[in-house]
Amino acid sequence: MSYNVTLIPGDGIGPEVTEATRRVLDATGIEFNWEVKNAGGEELERSGSLLPEGTLESVRRNKVAIKGPITTPIGKGFRSINVALRQSLDLYSCVRPCKFYKGVNSRYDSVDLVFVRENMEDLYAGVEYRENQPETKRLITEMKKDFGSKLRDDMALSIKTASAYGTRRIVKYAFDYARDNNRRKVTVVHKANIMKFTDGLFLDTAREIAKEYPDIEFSEVIVDAITMHLVQYPEDYDVLVLPNLYGDILSDLGAGLIGGPGMAPGGNIGDEFAVFEATHGSAPQIAGQNIANPLAMILSGLMMLRHLREFDAAKRLEKAIAAVIEEGNKVTIDMKHDRNAHDAVGTQEAADAIIGKLQLL
Ligand code: NAD
């Protein structure tokens, strides 16, 4: 059986790490037909479109994509293509496993967490109003009727959203994920003591849905408390389900526990489509130098194999990755204990080492 998969190289280090990943996935013996499609700032210059319809169409047709990071300008310029892609394809779950592999340079040695981040709502829904614009002033005037003078006229607004529909499906996804992957516990992360309606809805929904999964332990923690606790006792947690913003931030903390951005994979998954991508960004400072760690992207490819139910290939790939990390002599500079190490290898050579191991399995 062969799979048609859309490959979006992205920009910055994206093309390097996606190329390494494509080669590794081809070496698993599974047959892929890669349909290469573009998106982002460079694509805007090339074709006049940030997210060409052809790219979306390809993912809709193939149902599965693997994507490199795409740069988003800060504060001004275009909105995030990553957010647009997730919203256009209704990829409502962002799954970010943070698993420690022996040999990784980390302060911890037994972390195995899965962050399930809501991907469509919250402060990332894109409901924003720039300060001093007519539409912003109109809204502030309306809101003053309920909230009075604590609303200043020169405010900018980003609206935090949570729907019953969106909350139900992400929490259900987290519990189903736990059940399908033999995980013991789901923890809901919230700040419902302050944001009583949005996070309150998230928490109440989680409590309700937890009753449908008596085989999975359930716990609830306030976001600031868990941030501290995760650093002290990461072993206390298993699957975490979080609103969008907390999920974005805490999954980066998770990446920090298991060796940094080069080690943290991810998948954006909806009922119909799935796009796999590393947690890290486009790292423009190190782009084009063949020094970026391809492992986060390759581990995202491993998640894709599991999504395609190619469990045997996924198992072999994970073994090959684990062996290369444990041996430690064919890894990129960020994996070295000594940051000035001279024996680090490049992005493509690290991928070659994994391919070499795969050929022995
Ligand atoms: P970043 O993840 O690109 O970089 C943070 C740090 O981690 C940098 O020091 C970088 O060199 C390092 N790093 C990241 N990936 C690495 C790898 N594979 N190997 C070795 N080191 C690595 O985060 P940032 O600097 O905040 O963002 C840069 C750009 O990426 C921004 O425009 C941001 O919007 C975008 N971004 C895109 C995505 C995405 O496409 N999904 C995700 C996050 C950030």
Side-chain angles (χ1 to χ4, degrees), residues 13 67 69-72 82 86 261 277 279-286 292-293 334:
I13 59 171
K67 168 188 165 294
I70 296 176
T71 306
T72 307
N82 306 305
R86 290 164 202 166
E277 62 177 340
T279 298
H280 63 69
S282 56
Q285 322 85 330
I286 58 168
N293 189 345
D334 57 300

Side-chain angles (χ1 to χ4, degrees), residues 44-177:
L44 179 68
E45 280 172 28
R46 230 181 347 254
S47 71
S49 173
L50 277 168
L51 181 55
E53 191 45 41
T55 302
L56 279 173
E57 233 174 62
S58 167
V59 185
R60 288 200 184 101
R61 195 173 48 248
N62 296 330
K63 313 264 187 236
V64 181
I66 191 146
K67 168 188 165 294
I70 296 176
T71 306
T72 307
I74 294 180
K76 51 188 166 39
F78 59 81
R79 284 192 176 279
S80 168
I81 301 306
N82 306 305
V83 174
L85 194 63
R86 290 164 202 166
Q87 299 219 341
S88 309
L89 298 168
D90 199 23
L91 307 173
Y92 62 86
S93 324
C94 177
V95 181
R96 291 181 166 175
C98 290
K99 178 173 171 182
F100 172 82
Y101 288 92
K102 198 167 173 208
V104 160
N105 185 9
S106 165
R107 290 170 193 271
Y108 304 85
D109 60 7
S110 64
V111 176
D112 187 4
L113 300 165
V114 180
F115 293 85
V116 177
R117 162 188 171 194
E118 199 286 321
N119 233 0
M120 311 291 289
E121 304 196 317
D122 198 8
L123 283 158
Y124 286 38
V127 187
E128 294 200 288
Y129 293 86
R130 195 185 294 282
E131 74 281 6
N132 296 325
Q133 298 302 302
E135 61 277 15
T136 317
K137 289 189 172 158
R138 223 172 29 239
L139 190 61
I140 292 172
T141 306
E142 202 50 42
M143 290 195 301
K144 274 189 171 172
K145 292 179 190 163
D146 289 325
F147 296 100
S149 59
K150 64 181 167 185
L151 300 182
R152 292 185 185 277
D153 290 325
D154 59 354
M155 288 190 313
L157 298 166
S158 296
I159 310 285
K160 178 172 163 96
T161 66
S163 69
Y165 171 80
T167 301
R168 267 194 81 73
R169 67 178 179 171
I170 190 66
V171 175
K172 269 191 97 54
Y173 185 93
F175 275 96
D176 286 337
Y177 180 96

Side-chain angles (χ1 to χ4, degrees), residues 306-346:
R306 291 196 182 121
H307 177 80
L308 296 171
R309 309 196 73 73
E310 291 292 349
F311 296 116
D312 179 54
K315 212 182 217 170
R316 282 188 292 112
L317 176 54
E318 188 170 31
K319 255 192 181 165
I321 294 169
V324 168
I325 296 174
E326 189 168 359
E327 284 172 16
N329 53 3
K330 291 281 188 327
V331 293
T332 48
I333 185 74
D334 57 300
M335 302 279 289
K336 292 284 182 183
H337 291 262
D338 172 7
R339 288 176 190 201
N340 298 313
H342 293 296
D343 58 343
V345 302

Side-chain angles (χ1 to χ4, degrees), residues 265-283:
N268 298 293
I269 301 167
D271 292 333
E272 279 190 83
F273 312 110
V275 177
F276 294 88
E277 62 177 340
T279 298
H280 63 69
S282 56

